[in-house]
Amino acid sequence: MSSPSICEVGSRLIQEYTTKTPQKLKLIDAYLGYIMVTGIIQFVYCCLVGTFPFNSFLSGFISTVASFVLGVCLRIQVNPANNIVFKDISVERAFADFIFAHGVLHLVVLNFIG
Amino acid sequence: YQRRVRGQSSLFYTLIGLDALSNNNLAVPTSLSVAGGSVISGDGSNFQVALVNPLGEQVTGSEASIQSAVVPATGAALFKTGPMEGGDGDFFVSPVPLPDRGVYSVGVTGSVPAGFVAPDPAKFKVKVVLPVTVEGANLKIVDVDDNRAMMTSDLSGGAAVAKVDLSSRLTLDFNIADSAGKVALHQVFVRFTNTKTQQTVYFVAQADLNKRYSLDVNFRTSAVKSFGGVAGEYSVDLILGDATLASAVVTNIATLTLDLPESKEVVTVPDKAAKPEITHVFRQPEKRPPQAISSLFTGLVLLPALIVLGVWMKLGANLSGFSFSLSGLGFHLGLLSVLGIYVHFFLGLIDMFATIKWLAIVSLFTFLTGNRLLASIAAKRKEKK
């Protein structure tokens, strides 16, 4: 059997994603996409106009990066397919961790953004 | 304690006190002090000591005697131990004939008649200064390469005159002696003074074990190092100094003309004109991008938020499961309050201490309500399963 081409793989991936992924995970994926786009826009802006003030750029960019990471953690922990690994951590607990970490993150970012 | 009194009233009361001490019938304190100088030169001067009461009057009927008078290091004696000559508070002693130069430590005690308090034994430093002469001097100008002596002088005929250049070496050796023999002094210098620019160069003559001093100046190496490459006429002086010399001895021993291929004569004329004024340049602020671009990107950054809201709505996110219970409302209220505190902090209305303080209270409340809420959601979920 000939190896599938990129287009076939891609369309199959999209189809599987839209049908098989639970709604909750899709919501989180949308959120992750939003965070990533925001980070990219900030980075492009910094490349265009320079790094002054550097602390603001750093805090904004790292805020997006950290939010992305926390979102990924939430997604992993909430994914029913990973239930075996994360038996002890309920969905609610994962969400509470997410909220708490975000609280700390935003405090630090607001302090650093200057 | 104060050694001086200031002001007329202080002087008056001090004199009253001293007078009371000096003219009472019970016990008058006395002390020994040096009268005249404590420097003995070789001309037979005496060492004088006074035994006085607090007002400085000499005490009649008193006696003084030398306990010891030696140089602490060598033990050479200056005075014979025993009673001093003179009397009634005024004493003197003659040094032994031909004392050696040096600094002697002299211990004196005194005895007083009844009605007086004997003075404390005193230790005085007495210095013997004797003149010195330079003997056996040998000044040579030598060629550096073949050691041929181009000029020799024993300095007996006055200052020597010579020409030196980069191939010359000046050697000088001599003794310093006083009436007792050869001596070694603290400061034995040879000074070269440029007659035109008045620049001076000092060399130290070193003594060997036989107390013979020598100096060797090699112009090939020292012309630049010591003389700074400045040619011209130099007058050479021999300087002797020591604690046991009455005053320094400076003799002009030579006049040398130093020839150099390139003379670096430094003529510094201080520039008295006003220097240019310094205007302070303040730090330029960093270049900022034009406001249009910043605003554009601000909008661009906020845009994805709206997009994600749209995507969520399309995916079917809704608020139908919102529980209006106490913990539900409390949790959301708590989260919004935390956001509010952050906004206040960002705007600068409260500092970090206040932020942390408020955060502690609100986050505790949020945690409790959130815990309740999420636990109830979890229980509902388990029930549904």
Side-chain angles (χ1 to χ4, degrees):
Chain A
M1 181 166 137
S2 64
S3 51
S5 72
I6 283 289
C7 292
E8 288 176 13
V9 168
S11 61
R12 197 179 142 94
L13 179 70
I14 293 174
Q15 191 199 19
E16 284 231 10
Y17 178 79
T18 38
T19 48
K20 294 225 183 114
T21 323
Q23 184 208 30
K24 271 202 198 134
L25 294 185
K26 280 199 210 149
L27 289 174
I28 296 178
D29 289 338
Y31 169 73
L32 291 176
Y34 149 66
I35 295 281
M36 193 161 74
V37 167
T38 312
I40 291 174
I41 294 177
Q42 284 188 17
F43 190 72
V44 164
Y45 178 72
C46 174
C47 289
L48 275 182
V49 300
T51 59
F52 182 80
F54 195 50
N55 58 312
S56 306
F57 160 66
L58 264 187
S59 69
F61 190 67
I62 286 174
S63 159
T64 61
V65 170
S67 305
F68 188 84
V69 168
L70 288 173
V72 167
C73 288
L74 181 66
R75 190 188 195 281
I76 291 176
Q77 286 173 346
V78 158
N79 197 348
N82 292 340
N83 220 3
I84 308 155
V85 180
F86 292 107
K87 229 181 338 179
D88 296 326
I89 305 177
S90 65
V91 171
E92 286 73 29
R93 172 67 201 273
F95 183 66
D97 285 342
F98 176 78
I99 297 288
F100 174 68
H102 263 285
V104 173
L105 172 68
H106 286 300
L107 178 67
V108 172
V109 162
L110 280 177
N111 190 25
F112 193 53
I113 207 163
Chain B
Y1 60 91
Q2 274 186 315
R3 283 177 177 254
R4 277 182 271 238
V5 286
R6 284 176 224 259
Q8 294 160 331
S9 58
S10 304
L11 175 62
F12 177 67
Y13 288 119
T14 307
L15 286 175
I16 288 190
L18 290 175
D19 186 62
L21 283 172
S22 307
N23 296 319
N24 65 65
N25 296 324
L26 297 170
V28 178
T30 56
S31 63
L32 289 160
S33 60
V34 175
S38 55
V39 176
I40 295 190
S41 56
D43 59 2
S45 51
N46 291 335
F47 177 55
Q48 284 178 300
V49 167
L51 211 171
V52 293
N53 70 10
L55 274 178
E57 297 158 351
Q58 288 164 344
V59 177
T60 51
S62 56
E63 316 209 325
S65 65
I66 303 277
Q67 296 294 98
S68 65
V70 293
V71 176
T74 64
L78 178 57
F79 307 121
K80 284 208 287 271
T81 58
M84 291 174 84
E85 297 177 54
D88 286 343
D90 184 9
F91 306 99
F92 64 93
V93 69
S94 312
V96 298
L98 302 178
D100 289 331
R101 64 190 321 112
V103 179
Y104 294 79
S105 177
V106 178
V108 182
T109 56
S111 59
V112 284
F116 292 88
V117 180
D120 289 337
K123 262 202 161 21
F124 301 116
K125 267 199 172 39
V126 179
K127 205 161 60 160
V128 173
V129 297
L130 297 171
V132 292
T133 51
V134 174
E135 292 175 355
N138 197 352
L139 172 70
K140 283 203 280 220
I141 306 289
V142 175
D143 187 281
V144 175
D145 301 313
D146 55 20
N147 277 351
R148 192 172 35 96
M150 297 187 301
M151 186 214 77
T152 41
S153 158
D154 61 358
L155 299 182
S156 56
V161 178
K163 261 188 163 32
V164 290
D165 55 24
L166 287 176
S167 67
S168 317
R169 217 173 94 209
L170 177 145
T171 60
L172 170 68
D173 36 90
F174 54 94
N175 293 327
I176 307 174
D178 66 5
S179 49
K182 288 200 271 197
V183 294
L185 298 179
H186 281 150
Q187 297 171 323
V188 181
F189 300 142
V190 174
R191 177 180 67 192
F192 291 73
T193 313
N194 188 313
T195 43
K196 191 155 82 159
T197 69
Q198 298 306 313
Q199 288 168 303
T200 53
V201 187
Y202 286 86
F203 294 91
V204 178
Q206 306 280 5
D208 62 14
L209 292 169
N210 290 330
K211 295 195 184 153
R212 183 151 179 89
Y213 282 89
S214 61
L215 172 71
D216 188 337
V217 180
N218 185 334
F219 287 99
R220 182 168 289 173
T221 50
S222 65
V224 174
K225 196 166 75 144
S226 308
F227 289 86
V230 180
E233 192 184 77
Y234 284 86
S235 78
V236 185
D237 303 309
L238 176 65
I239 303 175
L240 306 173
D242 192 74
T244 58
L245 275 183
S247 57
V249 177
V250 180
T251 10
N252 180 250
I253 55 174
T255 305
L256 300 175
T257 312
L258 177 62
D259 282 328
L260 294 177
E262 304 154 0
S263 170
K264 291 201 204 106
E265 270 191 30
V266 175
V267 180
T268 50
V269 175
D271 183 15
K272 300 227 172 73
K275 290 221 161 73
E277 189 182 329
I278 303 172
T279 49
H280 180 74
V281 175
F282 286 97
R283 202 180 85 162
Q284 308 292 348
E286 305 264 351
K287 241 178 44 152
R288 299 289 191 110
Q291 182 144 21
I293 297 197
S294 323
S295 313
L296 173 70
F297 271 90
T298 311
L300 269 182
V301 155
L302 294 173
L303 195 60
L306 300 170
I307 296 178
V308 82
L309 278 174
V311 171
W312 276 345
M313 286 201 293
K314 187 158 159 290
L315 283 173
N318 51 43
L319 292 173
S320 59
F322 193 87
S323 68
F324 284 94
S325 67
L326 195 62
S327 33
L329 281 173
F331 177 61
H332 286 84
L333 190 66
L335 279 184
L336 284 172
S337 311
V338 169
L339 271 177
I341 295 172
Y342 285 170
V343 167
H344 276 84
F345 172 71
F346 180 66
L347 291 176
L349 301 170
I350 45 177
D351 62 5
M352 186 49 104
F353 294 110
T355 309
I356 298 286
K357 192 176 66 176
W358 282 112
L359 218 53
I361 305 168
V362 173
S363 65
L364 184 65
F365 170 73
T366 312
F367 172 73
L368 291 171
T369 50
N371 196 18
R372 271 265 200 96
L373 175 68
L374 289 172
S376 69
I377 294 179
K380 263 191 248 160
R381 194 165 48 89
K382 283 221 183 73
E383 240 178 76
K384 224 177 19 176
K385 243 186 245 181

